[in-house]
Amino acid sequence: MTTSSISEKVAERLTPYIGPFNARMWVKAVARRELGLAPEELKPAHLATLVDGLRPYLGALMGRVAADDLLLQIGREVH
Amino acid sequence: MRFRWLAVFPLLYAAVFIAIVWWLGGGEALGPFIIGQRLLVRLLAIAGCFLAVSVFARGDHLRTAWLWLGSGAVAILSRDLLRLLPLFQPANAGPGALVILSGLGILSNVALLAGVWMLARSWKMAAISLPGGRYGALAVALITAVLALAVAGPGALKGARAVAGGDWSSLILCVSAVVDILSLCLITPLLLTAVSLRGGLFSWPWGLITASQLSWLLYDAAAALAPSLTPGGFPLAEVFRGLAQNYLFVAGLAQLFAIRQVRRSAG
């Protein structure tokens, strides 16, 4: 996997639930806020921080349990 | 596909309701039929809200939102059931009965407003980007506010005047109309959240809640019509009340199905 595809892979897995527009916006916002990086600069080492940064957003939309399940899945599938 | 059927169900229900009303043709059975179906849609709305509550954990923002909506639906169903008792019927109701009925009505309105408010706030908590930018959202908000004031404003004013004149039984009408204006204004964030989430499963609960709120807007408009404008005494307001309650029911189901799908896929 190339380093630039981390954000795409995460957004791709969020898309079925929150739509493509918000999936991209969330990844971009968390990458900026938590890591000070543009989405295309994300590397596999940033995944854990990205996933943790997405947790409050997803929790607000689908509850903590579903958000944790989804983020665990993303953590498993995106390396 | 399942979600599309949820969106269609309230319309099918409305079509069946209209067909039965025409078939009954204003006969003696029409009154009991309308009361019975009103109780049915209230029960469905309660079921939808509490099914949605069941998929969230304690402390989840949306659990509280659905709990408010469900509690509001229980309060209004309780009022409808009490009204069936001789003691609470308009001809016999004493001051105590009127206070109980008004109290339940106000409680229901406030709980529904709290629930819709919490759902409407979700976009901010989830940092959802609303389409159209700030000006787009403002334009939709203005249009909704004007519509809400046009539809529920006269009722609020009439109720307020009656209360000011000492008629406390009009308090429920006044509170109800004010709550209607406020909750109809919340259509904007609900609608824009649904649009922003389009293409995703979670756009369905918000879209269906928006449809419920829009149906209440139509209900208010129909209820404000003079009887002469509803041909043959057709219960137009009941059609929209049914739509509003049934869209709340299917919104709760959509919330349940969407979260179950996340867990199933991730499990």
Side-chain angles (χ1 to χ4, degrees), chain A residues 51 55 65-78, chain B residues 266:
Chain A
V51 161
R55 201 175 303 277
V65 177
D68 287 347
D69 287 352
L70 180 58
L71 291 170
L72 263 177
Q73 184 199 19
I74 291 175
R76 275 198 311 266
E77 291 178 2
V78 179

Side-chain angles (χ1 to χ4, degrees), chain B residues 197-258:
Chain B
L197 293 168
R198 69 191 177 280
L201 274 186
F202 283 83
S203 69
W204 284 102
W206 267 268
L208 295 170
I209 279 280
T210 307
S212 172
Q213 289 300 107
L214 285 170
S215 302
W216 281 125
L217 185 74
L218 294 171
Y219 168 82
D220 284 339
L225 283 179
S228 58
L229 294 175
T230 50
F234 182 78
L236 188 60
E238 289 300 328
V239 175
F240 295 126
R241 189 205 304 267
L243 275 176
Q245 297 282 17
N246 278 327
Y247 271 119
L248 182 59
F249 165 54
V250 292
L253 285 182
Q255 183 79 86
L256 171 85
F257 293 154

Side-chain angles (χ1 to χ4, degrees), chain A residues 24-75:
Chain A
R24 282 196 311 273
M25 294 301 282
W26 279 13
V27 170
K28 189 176 164 185
V30 173
R32 285 257 161 83
R33 198 191 62 214
E34 302 291 330
L35 297 156
L37 297 172
E40 60 275 12
E41 294 173 314
L42 293 178
K43 296 176 178 166
H46 298 131
L47 183 63
T49 311
L50 180 65
V51 161
D52 274 344
L54 288 168
R55 201 175 303 277
Y57 296 165
L58 277 172
L61 195 65
M62 56 181 71
R64 282 166 298 162
V65 177
D68 287 347
D69 287 352
L70 180 58
L71 291 170
L72 263 177
Q73 184 199 19
I74 291 175

Side-chain angles (χ1 to χ4, degrees), chain B residues 25-186:
Chain B
E28 278 179 14
L30 183 63
F33 166 69
I34 286 178
I35 292 172
Q37 77 81 36
R38 189 185 297 170
L39 297 179
L40 173 65
V41 294
R42 301 269 200 227
L43 278 170
L44 288 175
I46 291 170
C49 291
F50 284 100
L51 283 170
V53 168
S54 72
V55 283
F56 291 105
R58 273 181 191 278
D60 280 343
H61 171 77
L62 289 181
R63 181 179 188 274
T64 315
W66 283 107
L67 210 46
W68 275 115
L69 290 173
S71 307
V74 168
I76 204 71
L77 174 67
S78 309
R79 192 186 64 160
D80 284 354
L81 287 172
L82 281 179
R83 274 180 167 169
L84 297 177
L85 302 175
L87 199 64
F88 288 89
Q89 283 176 1
N92 311 324
L98 286 175
V99 166
I100 292 172
L101 291 176
S102 296
L104 283 170
I106 291 170
L107 201 67
S108 159
N109 276 294
V110 171
L112 291 171
L113 178 62
V116 173
W117 164 255
M118 290 190 77
L119 281 178
R121 261 189 77 224
S122 299
W123 72 271
K124 203 162 190 177
M125 297 184 68
I128 289 167
S129 307
L130 298 185
R134 184 178 294 181
Y135 292 112
L138 196 64
V140 179
L142 272 175
I143 293 168
T144 316
V146 168
L147 276 175
L149 279 172
V151 168
L157 204 61
K158 193 176 162 190
R161 280 188 185 140
V163 171
D167 176 13
W168 287 96
S169 66
S170 295
L171 182 64
I172 174 64
L173 296 175
C174 183
V175 171
S176 175
V178 170
V179 168
D180 280 348
I181 292 169
L182 295 174
S183 57
L184 293 173
C185 287
L186 294 173

Side-chain angles (χ1 to χ4, degrees), chain A residues 3-36:
Chain A
T3 53
S4 63
S5 67
I6 286 290
S7 61
E8 288 165 20
K9 291 272 180 187
V10 173
E12 204 175 278
R13 276 157 180 77
L14 292 174
T15 293
Y17 306 109
I18 61 171
F21 174 70
N22 272 292
R24 282 196 311 273
M25 294 301 282
W26 279 13
V27 170
K28 189 176 164 185
V30 173
R32 285 257 161 83
R33 198 191 62 214
E34 302 291 330
L35 297 156

